[in-house]
Amino acid sequence: MDMAALGRRGLVVLGCGKMGSALLAGWLVRGLEATSVCVIDPAPSDWLVRQGVRLNDDLPESPAVVVIAVKPQIMAEALPRIAGFGGGDTLVLSVAAGTPILRYEEAFGPGTPVIRAMPNTPAAIGHGISAIIGNAAATPAHLALAESLMGVVGQVVRLETESQIDAVTAVSGSGPAYVFHMVEALAAAAEREGLSPALATRLARATVSGAGRLLDARTEDTPATLRRNVTSPGGTTEAALEVLMDEASGLGSLMARAVRRARERSEELARG
Ligand SMILES: NC(=O)c1ccc[n+]([C@@H]2O[C@H](COP(=O)([O-])OP(=O)(O)OC[C@H]3O[C@@H](n4cnc5c(N)ncnc54)[C@H](OP(=O)(O)O)[C@@H]3O)[C@@H](O)[C@H]2O)c1
């Protein structure tokens, strides 16, 4: 992305909490001029104040992008402030979960290019994955711009339909919490086997983060291959996997139910 070109037209960020700040940090590191960013946020963090961006200041006439990173529940209150950017060439890029594109089209008017992105929490350390989907007015150039803007916090994948975003939310959006719970469950099991709480947590945490790093390092291997590599016939891992991979009561069926429930909840929230 040409940060200088982006900087000339300016960029507006509505809501700069955890996700907005992670994105902003990435753009600034990649050379975006801090003074070309206008942030609207009622209570800016100390970090944000130190960045030299324009805070709650006059807004540019026609910024290249307006990034929406407020919580969905305050959308109705926050959107009117930026509704004037609709109908032109300003791209509306929202990372808010649960707010459909139609809601932005209503607020910004027809013909406004809108792209929804669904990132996840590891974005905070540059290891997120975001899925993006645009409306009919979003051109390939807008999608490329959104991809580079979201790319500063991790990988980016493109969706074919907006309805896929509910499944994405249920998998990668909520997924980090499933993995954190896996650590809790593994630590609890370790305690039941007689280990101290501190040791149990340390083992579980390091195991999950170490396995995650291995996944990252060995992209040529499928997860199934990595699993098989640590499963010797008749060994301890195989004994545990027989329980975990049981068709009726194992992790597979439990995960399928959990993801289905999350997807349904995402659909419910989108309906309002
Ligand atoms: N964090 C994630 O991992 C993640 C993942 C996927 C999607 N998202 C989406 O990203 C969005 C932001 O999430 P977050 O975790 O970054 O939340 P957050 O940390 O609460 O950030 C939201 C920011 O918006 C500010 N704000 C409140 N009212 C405002 C207004 N009227 N105008 C402008 N700004 C206002 C908040 O200020 P106060 O703190 O003073 O209220 C806060 O700084 C959400 O829609 C969420 O669905 C986040």
Side-chain angles (χ1 to χ4, degrees), residues 8-57:
R8 276 193 291 281
R9 278 191 64 193
L11 191 144
V12 172
V13 180
L14 178 72
C16 203
K18 290 183 281 296
M19 191 50 73
S21 299
L23 288 164
L24 177 62
W27 303 330
L28 296 177
V29 162
R30 280 161 185 77
L32 183 67
E33 203 53 61
T35 51
S36 67
V37 183
C38 283
V39 173
I40 307 169
D41 194 299
S45 65
D46 294 345
W47 176 85
L48 185 54
V49 171
R50 285 198 306 274
Q51 301 314 304
V53 297
R54 286 155 58 194
L55 269 171
N56 301 313
D57 199 358

Side-chain angles (χ1 to χ4, degrees), residues 15 17-19 40-43 69-72 74 77 95-97 118-119 121:
K18 290 183 281 296
M19 191 50 73
I40 307 169
D41 194 299
V70 290
K71 293 273 189 200
I74 64 122
E77 165 198 335
V95 299
M118 184 62 215
T121 7

